[in-house]
Amino acid sequence: MASAEYRELLERVREIGTLEQAAGILTWDERTCMPPGSAPDRAKQHAVMSGIIHERLTSKEMGRLIRALKKQELSVDGAVILRETERKWRLASAVPGDLVKEASRAQSEAMNAWVKARAGSDFGMLEPLLDKVIGLRFEIAEHIGYEDTLYDALLDEYEPYAKSKDIDAVFSRLKKKLIPIASKILNEPCLDGAVPKGTYPVEAQGAFVAGLAADMGFDLNRGRIDVSAHPFTSGACRDVRITVRYNEADPSYVVFPAMHEAGHALYEQGFLEKYYGTPLAEGVSMGIHESQSRLWENMVGRSEAFWSFYYPKFRQAYPAFKKMSPGAFYRHVNAVKRSYIRTDADEVTYNLHIMLRYDVERALFENKIKTPDIPSYWNELFEKYLGIPVTDDASGCLQDIHWSGGNFGYFPTYTLGNLYAAQFWHAAKSQVPGLEDSIAAGDTGALLGWLRKNVHRHGKRYGAATLVKKATGEALNEDYFVRYIKEKYGKLYGISL
Amino acid sequence: MASAEYRELLERVREIGTLEQAAGILTWDERTCMPPGSAPDRAKQHAVMSGIIHERLTSKEMGRLIRALKKQELSVDGAVILRETERKWRLASAVPGDLVKEASRAQSEAMNAWVKARAGSDFGMLEPLLDKVIGLRFEIAEHIGYEDTLYDALLDEYEPYAKSKDIDAVFSRLKKKLIPIASKILNEPCLDGAVPKGTYPVEAQGAFVAGLAADMGFDLNRGRIDVSAHPFTSGACRDVRITVRYNEADPSYVVFPAMHEAGHALYEQGFLEKYYGTPLAEGVSMGIHESQSRLWENMVGRSEAFWSFYYPKFRQAYPAFKKMSPGAFYRHVNAVKRSYIRTDADEVTYNLHIMLRYDVERALFENKIKTPDIPSYWNELFEKYLGIPVTDDASGCLQDIHWSGGNFGYFPTYTLGNLYAAQFWHAAKSQVPGLEDSIAAGDTGALLGWLRKNVHRHGKRYGAATLVKKATGEALNEDYFVRYIKEKYGKLYGISL
C-alpha cells in the first residue's frame, strides 16, 4: 500500500494539474472567445493563477514530501510521478521569483516592440529589448544549472533530458543530407497547379473538418474544434480542444492544420484515465508532441494512400474539385517552394528553417555571436541552407515572435518532431502489416492503435530517447526522415535524389 | 494616505476578485462550450477553485487585517470595501467546511433526483433527499446567525441586509392588490394572435439581437452574446457575457431574454473601472440586479414607445411581419395567460408564482410545514393566487431546481426586482423629462444615463434599501408596480383595473 506521504504527494500533484487545466481553459478562451477589450483582466487572471500554481508547486510541504519519498521504495508508477514532480519542483524552485517577473516584463516589452520592428522590417528597433531578454535567459539558465553547456538548461524546458551535443550531431548529419536534396527539388519546375476557382463557405469546411477529425479518432464528446488566427491544441484529460483556420478560396488549406492539431489532440486523448492529473498523462516533450501532429499532417495527410480514399469524399463536399484530377490534387498538397517564411514552408525545406534558428541560438548562448550579429548571421546561414539571399529583416530574423518571448530552446523541437515522426511511421509500417493499405481503404485505426500502444499510453513514463528506442528498436536516426523525403519526392518529381 | 494594512487588504480583495472572475469564465464555458464528456474534470476544477477562494478569504491574515482596519479611520470608499469584505469573510468563516461539503453533496444528489422526480411527476421520489437539503439549510442558518427569524440568514445570501418581516409586509400588500387585478385580466379573452408562419434563421436573429443589445448600450468590445439552454449573464469588469435562446418559429421570442440579460450586463458594465475587483464594482443584491434586467425587458421592451421605433427595424429584419400590425405585435408580446409554469409567466402573473414560493419557504423555515407537506401547501396557495387547481407535481412544486440546489431565499429577489424596477422606472420618468419620447425616437441613452448615475456606478456602496431611497426619494413601495400594471393593462384590455 502506498505511504501517507505518497498519497499526499499525489493529491498535491493532482490539485496542481487541475489548476493547470483551469488556466488552460482561460488561455483557450483568450484565443478564441475573449472580447478584445478584456485583455487587461485576463492578464491579471493569468498572473494570479500562475502565482498560485507556483506557490503550491514550490511549497515547503512539497519539498518535504519529495525528500521523504526519495528514501522510500515506490511502485513503478509512483517512481515516475516522483521523478517528474521533482523535476518540475526543482525547475520552479531554481529561479528566484523576482528574476521570473523581470524576465516576464522584459519579454512582454520585447514582444510589443517586435510587432513594430517586424512591421518596419527594422531589427534595430528590437535589438536593445531582445538583448535584455537574452541576457536574462543567461541568468535564468545559470540558476537552473547544466552540465555541458548553458544552452542545455534552456533546451530542457521544452525537450526534457535532451542534450545539445546530441542534437548538434543529428542536425549536422541531417543538414549535410538535406541541403542537396532540397536544392535538387527546388531546381525542378514547381508541380503545383491552381485549385478550382470558387468560394468555399466556412460552414461546409467546418463540417468536413469535423468529419475528418472524427474519422482519425478524435473524440468530439471530449473535445471541440474552433477557429483562431494561429491554430493550436489545448486542454487535457476529457477536454481537448483544437483550432483551425480556413481559406475560403481553397478548402484543402484547412485539412493540414486540422490533421496537425488533431494529431496533437489524439496524443492527449490517448493517455490513460487512471493517470489523469499526473505526469503519466502528459506528453513526453514538445518534440514527441510535434511528432504526433506531423505524422498525421504529413506522413498520413500528404500521402497518396490517404487521398486515394479521402479525395472522393473531398470532392463530394466540394464538387468543383471534380475539375481537379487526383494527381493534380496530390501535387498541390505536396508543392515544394522556396520560401523565406518558416510557417509557409513545405516538409522538405521546413527543417532547414529550423536548423538555421537552432544554429543562431547555439551561437548566441556559446557567446560566439552577440545580439546585434543576429541579422547578418541569419542571412549568411539562410543563403547557405536555402540558396537565396534574405532581402529584409521582416522576411528574415524578425519573422518569429519566439525569441522576443524568451523561448530559446523551443525551435529545435520542431525538427526533432519531424524526425521522431518519420521514425515512428517507419516502425509502424514495419510492425503492422498492410498499414498503408488500410489507410488507403479509409481506416486509420491500425495506425492509431500502434501510436496508442507505443507512444500515447505511456505519458511521461519514459524520456524521449527511451520512448523512441522502445517503440522503434533504435535510437533517434535522421535517416528515416531523409529516406522518406527521398522516396516520396523522387517519385513525385521523377528524379533520383 | 491609506495605511499599509488597507493596501494589503485591497490587494487581497482584488486577488480574490480575480480568482472569482477566472472561476466565472469556467462556469460560462461549462454552459456554452464545454464538451459534454468533460463534466467530471470541470467539477474538479470548480472544487479546487472554490477551495482556494475560500482558503484565501478565510485566512488568518485576512482576519487580522479586518480587525486592525476596524480601528482605523478609512476613506468613504475604504469603509465600504471593509464593510463588504468583512461581511463576506464572516459568512465564509461562519459555516464549518465539513458542513459546506455535506450540503454540497446532498444538493448534488437532490438535483439528480429532481430530474427524475420531475420527469415522473412524483414528489415522493425527491422528498427524502430534499428533506436532507432543508435540514442542512437549518444547520447552516444557525451557524450564520440571525436576529428575528432563521429565514433571514438564508435570505441574506441573496439580498444582503434584507429582513423577511419587511418582505412579508410588502408581499402581503402586493398580493391583496395583485390577485384581483390578475383575476380580472385572466377572465378577459386572450388578446394574443399568431405570428406570421415561417422559419426565421438563427443567424439573422443573432444579428438582430446583437444590434439591439448594442443600441441599448451593451459594449461588445467588452462582452459577448452566445447561446445556451437557459439564458444567463456572467462575467465582470471588461468581460461581461450574456446568452440567449432562439425560437426559429418566432423571432420576437429572443428579444425578451436578450433585453433581460443585456439589462444585467449594462449593470455590470456600469461599474467604475477604478473599483474593478472590489465590492464597489459589484451588484448590490440579486433583487437590484434583477431590477435592471426586468426594467429593460418589461418597462422598455414590452412598451408601445419602444416598439413604435423598433417595430419597423424588426420588420426590416423579418419582412414576413409586414403581415402583423404594430397593434397585434404589441398585444402578442404582452399576452397574459394562466400558466402553471413560472418561467412561462407574463409580467402580471409572474409575481404571484414567486410569492407562492416565498410563502412555502417561510412556512418551512418557521416549522409551520414539513417537507412532505410541500405539494399540498403549494397546490392550496396556487389555487388561491392563480385561480386554477394544480393537476400534477411536475407542473407544481417540482418545476424549479432551486430548492433541490439548496437555494432557499433566492425566489423573493425576483419579485423584489420587479418592484424595484417599477419604482426606478417611475423615478426616471419623473426626473428625466421626455424620457419615453426619447425611447420612442429610438434613443435609450437618457434612461441608461439615469441608471448609470443612480444605480450602476455605486456598486455595493449602499444596501438595496438605501439605494432605492436615494434614487427614488422613497422606500420600496409596491404601488409603483401595481400602478404600472393597472395603467398598462387597463389600456390594453380597455377595462378598469
Side-chain angles (χ1 to χ4, degrees):
Chain A
M1 206 195 122
S3 67
E5 283 94 351
Y6 180 71
R7 286 197 307 274
E8 199 186 330
L9 180 88
L10 201 57
E11 198 176 304
R12 285 169 183 265
V13 164
R14 287 205 153 112
E15 193 198 43
I16 291 168
T18 301
L19 283 167
E20 287 169 341
Q21 288 165 35
I25 296 288
L26 296 178
T27 302
W28 174 85
D29 181 85
E30 184 175 349
R31 295 171 72 176
T32 55
C33 294
M34 191 186 79
S38 60
D41 297 337
R42 188 55 52 89
K44 268 181 222 145
Q45 292 159 26
H46 282 308
V48 170
M49 292 293 286
S50 312
I52 289 171
I53 290 168
H54 187 266
E55 164 196 309
R56 278 165 141 73
L57 184 57
T58 59
S59 68
K60 265 189 198 163
E61 207 40 30
M62 201 69 162
R64 187 189 64 77
L65 288 168
I66 289 170
R67 279 187 297 273
L69 285 166
K70 287 182 80 167
K71 293 181 202 136
Q72 294 180 16
E73 204 182 318
L74 299 178
S75 67
V76 178
D77 288 353
V80 175
I81 290 172
L82 177 63
R83 178 192 79 207
E84 292 300 322
T85 303
E86 187 190 0
R87 195 188 121 77
K88 200 167 161 180
W89 167 79
R90 190 175 47 74
L91 285 174
S93 312
V95 188
D98 286 346
L99 180 54
V100 172
K101 276 184 200 146
E102 197 187 344
S104 172
R105 220 172 8 246
Q107 287 155 202
S108 170
E109 284 169 23
M111 286 190 285
N112 286 331
W114 169 79
V115 174
K116 288 173 204 133
R118 189 173 67 153
S121 193
D122 179 3
F123 182 77
M125 289 169 71
L126 176 62
E127 194 203 295
L129 293 164
L130 181 60
D131 192 57
K132 180 144 194 225
V133 168
I134 292 171
L136 290 163
R137 280 294 126 186
F138 270 98
E139 272 191 62
I140 286 170
E142 290 295 354
H143 281 284
I144 292 172
Y146 50 88
E147 284 172 20
D148 299 343
T149 177
L150 180 140
Y151 185 75
D152 283 354
L154 303 176
L155 182 63
D156 194 61
E157 190 181 337
Y158 306 98
E159 198 66 18
Y161 311 113
K163 300 285 171 216
S164 44
K165 68 165 190 273
D166 300 325
I167 297 180
D168 287 349
V170 173
F171 282 13
S172 100
R173 289 195 302 269
L174 179 62
K175 259 183 282 180
K176 257 192 216 117
K177 296 167 189 168
L178 195 56
I179 292 173
I181 294 174
S183 165
K184 259 196 194 171
I185 295 175
L186 290 167
N187 284 332
E188 293 290 316
C190 177
L191 297 179
D192 194 11
V195 300
K197 277 217 169 79
T199 302
Y200 302 90
V202 161
E203 292 72 29
Q205 293 195 42
F208 184 82
V209 155
L212 170 58
D215 284 349
M216 286 168 63
F218 181 44
D219 181 356
L220 283 158
N221 186 46
R222 296 176 168 206
R224 284 178 63 88
I225 305 174
D226 294 272
V227 177
S228 69
H230 302 282
F232 67 98
T233 300
S234 71
C237 308
R238 296 171 191 84
D239 191 351
V240 178
R241 306 182 181 191
I242 68 172
T243 68
V244 296
R245 198 170 57 162
Y246 298 100
N247 176 350
E248 287 208 305
D250 181 359
S252 76
Y253 173 85
V254 72
V255 167
F256 303 97
M259 292 186 79
H260 181 102
E261 302 307 333
H264 281 304
L266 287 173
Y267 189 17
E268 291 288 332
Q269 290 191 335
F271 302 132
L272 303 185
E273 281 200 31
K274 63 177 171 175
Y275 296 131
Y276 279 178
T278 79
L280 283 165
E282 283 172 20
V284 174
S285 68
M286 301 287 289
I288 295 294
H289 229 305
E290 190 73 2
S291 77
Q292 299 307 295
S293 56
R294 296 293 268 181
L295 193 154
W296 286 98
E297 176 191 358
N298 289 334
M299 281 78 192
V300 178
R302 296 188 204 269
S303 72
E304 272 188 298
F306 175 75
W307 286 107
S308 74
F309 177 83
Y310 235 85
Y311 195 50
K313 284 185 92 160
F314 185 85
R315 279 171 151 179
Q316 214 166 359
Y318 314 109
F321 276 74
K322 291 198 174 115
K323 280 178 275 174
M324 191 173 198
S325 73
F329 185 79
Y330 178 64
R331 287 190 295 276
H332 170 61
V333 301
N334 282 294
V336 181
K337 288 172 187 168
R338 240 182 212 102
S339 159
Y340 291 106
I341 304 298
R342 172 183 64 87
T343 53
D344 294 343
D346 50 82
E347 58 177 336
V348 175
T349 56
Y350 190 86
N351 295 306
L352 298 174
H353 289 267
I354 294 302
M355 290 188 283
L356 177 165
R357 286 155 176 79
Y358 176 73
D359 291 346
V360 173
E361 292 187 355
R362 290 283 283 132
L364 271 171
F365 289 95
E366 297 269 358
N367 280 310
K368 289 180 181 157
I369 63 168
K370 294 282 169 202
T371 310
D373 307 325
I374 291 177
S376 60
Y377 194 52
W378 175 291
N379 297 352
E380 180 194 326
L381 293 176
F382 195 89
E383 193 157 358
K384 218 161 113 187
Y385 297 171
L386 283 134
I388 44 171
V390 176
T391 50
D392 62 321
D393 292 345
S395 313
C397 64
L398 280 180
Q399 68 184 271
D400 300 303
I401 198 172
H402 299 55
W403 290 342
S404 301
N407 301 130
F408 293 94
Y410 186 125
F411 278 125
T413 70
Y414 288 119
T415 285
L416 289 173
N418 287 321
L419 302 183
Y420 295 143
Q423 192 160 336
F424 286 143
W425 177 237
H426 181 268
K429 285 193 295 179
S430 318
Q431 292 169 32
V432 183
L435 184 71
E436 281 183 293
D437 292 343
S438 69
I439 292 174
D443 180 9
T444 52
L447 173 62
L448 181 58
W450 188 90
L451 293 170
R452 288 264 185 265
K453 182 170 167 244
N454 291 283
V455 181
H456 300 179
R457 73 188 173 98
H458 300 306
K460 276 192 193 302
R461 185 176 301 278
Y462 312 114
T466 310
L467 181 79
V468 169
K469 205 155 186 181
K470 281 195 171 267
T472 70
E474 193 181 338
L476 176 63
N477 181 345
E478 75 286 352
D479 264 335
Y480 291 105
F481 178 77
V482 173
R483 255 187 276 159
Y484 161 79
I485 293 291
K486 275 182 162 181
E487 280 169 26
K488 176 172 172 180
Y489 290 89
K491 195 177 156 202
L492 197 60
Y493 282 82
I495 54 174
S496 153
L497 290 169
Chain B
M1 207 195 122
S3 67
E5 282 94 352
Y6 179 72
R7 287 197 307 274
E8 199 186 330
L9 180 87
L10 201 57
E11 197 176 305
R12 284 169 183 266
V13 164
R14 288 206 153 112
E15 193 198 43
I16 292 167
T18 301
L19 283 167
E20 287 169 340
Q21 288 165 35
I25 296 288
L26 295 179
T27 302
W28 173 86
D29 181 84
E30 185 175 349
R31 295 171 73 176
T32 55
C33 294
M34 191 187 78
S38 59
D41 297 337
R42 188 55 51 89
K44 267 181 223 147
Q45 291 159 26
H46 282 308
V48 169
M49 292 293 286
S50 313
I52 289 171
I53 290 168
H54 188 266
E55 164 195 309
R56 279 166 141 73
L57 184 57
T58 59
S59 67
K60 266 189 197 161
E61 208 38 31
M62 201 69 162
R64 186 189 66 78
L65 288 168
I66 289 170
R67 280 187 297 273
L69 286 166
K70 287 182 81 168
K71 292 181 204 136
Q72 294 180 16
E73 204 182 317
L74 299 177
S75 67
V76 178
D77 289 353
V80 175
I81 291 172
L82 178 63
R83 180 193 76 208
E84 291 299 323
T85 303
E86 187 189 0
R87 195 188 120 77
K88 200 167 162 181
W89 167 79
R90 190 176 46 74
L91 285 173
S93 312
V95 188
D98 286 346
L99 180 54
V100 172
K101 277 185 201 146
E102 198 187 345
S104 172
R105 221 172 7 246
Q107 286 155 203
S108 171
E109 284 170 22
M111 287 190 285
N112 286 331
W114 169 80
V115 174
K116 289 174 203 132
R118 189 173 67 152
S121 194
D122 179 3
F123 182 77
M125 288 169 71
L126 176 63
E127 194 203 294
L129 292 164
L130 182 60
D131 192 57
K132 179 141 196 229
V133 168
I134 292 171
L136 289 163
R137 279 294 126 186
F138 270 98
E139 272 191 63
I140 286 170
E142 290 294 354
H143 281 284
I144 293 172
Y146 50 88
E147 283 172 21
D148 300 342
T149 177
L150 180 140
Y151 184 75
D152 283 353
L154 303 176
L155 182 62
D156 194 61
E157 190 181 337
Y158 306 99
E159 199 65 19
Y161 311 114
K163 300 284 171 218
S164 43
K165 68 166 191 273
D166 300 324
I167 296 180
D168 288 349
V170 173
F171 281 13
S172 101
R173 290 195 301 270
L174 179 61
K175 259 182 282 181
K176 257 191 215 118
K177 296 167 190 168
L178 194 56
I179 292 173
I181 294 173
S183 165
K184 260 196 194 170
I185 295 175
L186 289 167
N187 285 331
E188 293 290 316
C190 176
L191 297 179
D192 194 11
V195 300
K197 276 217 170 81
T199 301
Y200 303 91
V202 161
E203 292 72 29
Q205 294 194 42
F208 184 82
V209 155
L212 170 58
D215 284 349
M216 286 168 63
F218 182 44
D219 181 356
L220 283 158
N221 187 45
R222 295 176 168 205
R224 284 178 63 89
I225 306 175
D226 294 272
V227 176
S228 69
H230 302 281
F232 67 97
T233 300
S234 71
C237 308
R238 296 172 191 83
D239 190 352
V240 178
R241 305 182 181 191
I242 68 172
T243 68
V244 297
R245 198 170 57 161
Y246 297 100
N247 176 350
E248 287 207 304
D250 181 0
S252 76
Y253 173 86
V254 72
V255 167
F256 303 97
M259 292 186 79
H260 182 101
E261 302 306 334
H264 281 304
L266 287 173
Y267 189 17
E268 291 287 332
Q269 290 191 334
F271 302 132
L272 303 185
E273 281 199 31
K274 63 177 171 176
Y275 296 131
Y276 279 178
T278 80
L280 283 165
E282 283 173 19
V284 174
S285 67
M286 302 287 290
I288 295 294
H289 229 304
E290 190 73 3
S291 77
Q292 299 308 294
S293 56
R294 295 293 268 181
L295 193 154
W296 286 97
E297 176 191 358
N298 289 334
M299 281 78 192
V300 178
R302 296 188 204 269
S303 72
E304 272 189 299
F306 175 76
W307 286 107
S308 74
F309 177 83
Y310 234 85
Y311 196 50
K313 285 185 92 161
F314 185 86
R315 279 171 151 180
Q316 214 166 0
Y318 314 110
F321 276 74
K322 293 201 171 112
K323 281 178 274 175
M324 191 172 198
S325 73
F329 184 79
Y330 178 64
R331 287 190 295 276
H332 170 61
V333 301
N334 282 295
V336 181
K337 288 173 188 168
R338 240 182 211 101
S339 159
Y340 291 106
I341 305 298
R342 172 183 65 85
T343 53
D344 294 343
D346 50 81
E347 59 177 336
V348 175
T349 56
Y350 190 86
N351 295 306
L352 298 174
H353 289 267
I354 294 302
M355 290 188 283
L356 177 164
R357 285 155 176 78
Y358 177 73
D359 291 345
V360 174
E361 292 187 356
R362 290 283 282 133
L364 271 171
F365 289 95
E366 297 270 357
N367 280 311
K368 289 180 182 157
I369 63 167
K370 295 280 169 203
T371 310
D373 307 325
I374 291 177
S376 60
Y377 193 53
W378 176 291
N379 296 352
E380 181 195 325
L381 293 176
F382 195 89
E383 193 157 359
K384 218 161 113 186
Y385 297 171
L386 283 135
I388 45 172
V390 176
T391 49
D392 62 321
D393 292 345
S395 313
C397 65
L398 281 180
Q399 68 184 271
D400 300 304
I401 198 172
H402 299 56
W403 291 342
S404 301
N407 301 129
F408 293 93
Y410 186 125
F411 278 126
T413 70
Y414 287 119
T415 285
L416 289 173
N418 287 322
L419 302 184
Y420 295 142
Q423 192 160 336
F424 286 143
W425 177 237
H426 181 268
K429 285 193 297 179
S430 319
Q431 292 169 32
V432 183
L435 184 71
E436 281 183 293
D437 292 343
S438 70
I439 292 174
D443 181 8
T444 53
L447 172 62
L448 181 58
W450 188 90
L451 293 170
R452 289 264 184 266
K453 182 170 168 245
N454 291 282
V455 181
H456 301 178
R457 72 188 173 98
H458 300 305
K460 276 193 194 300
R461 184 175 301 277
Y462 312 114
T466 309
L467 181 79
V468 169
K469 205 154 187 182
K470 281 195 172 265
T472 70
E474 194 180 337
L476 176 63
N477 180 346
E478 75 286 352
D479 264 335
Y480 291 105
F481 178 77
V482 174
R483 253 187 276 160
Y484 161 78
I485 293 291
K486 275 182 162 180
E487 280 169 26
K488 176 172 173 181
Y489 290 89
K491 195 177 157 204
L492 198 60
Y493 282 83
I495 55 175
S496 151
L497 291 169

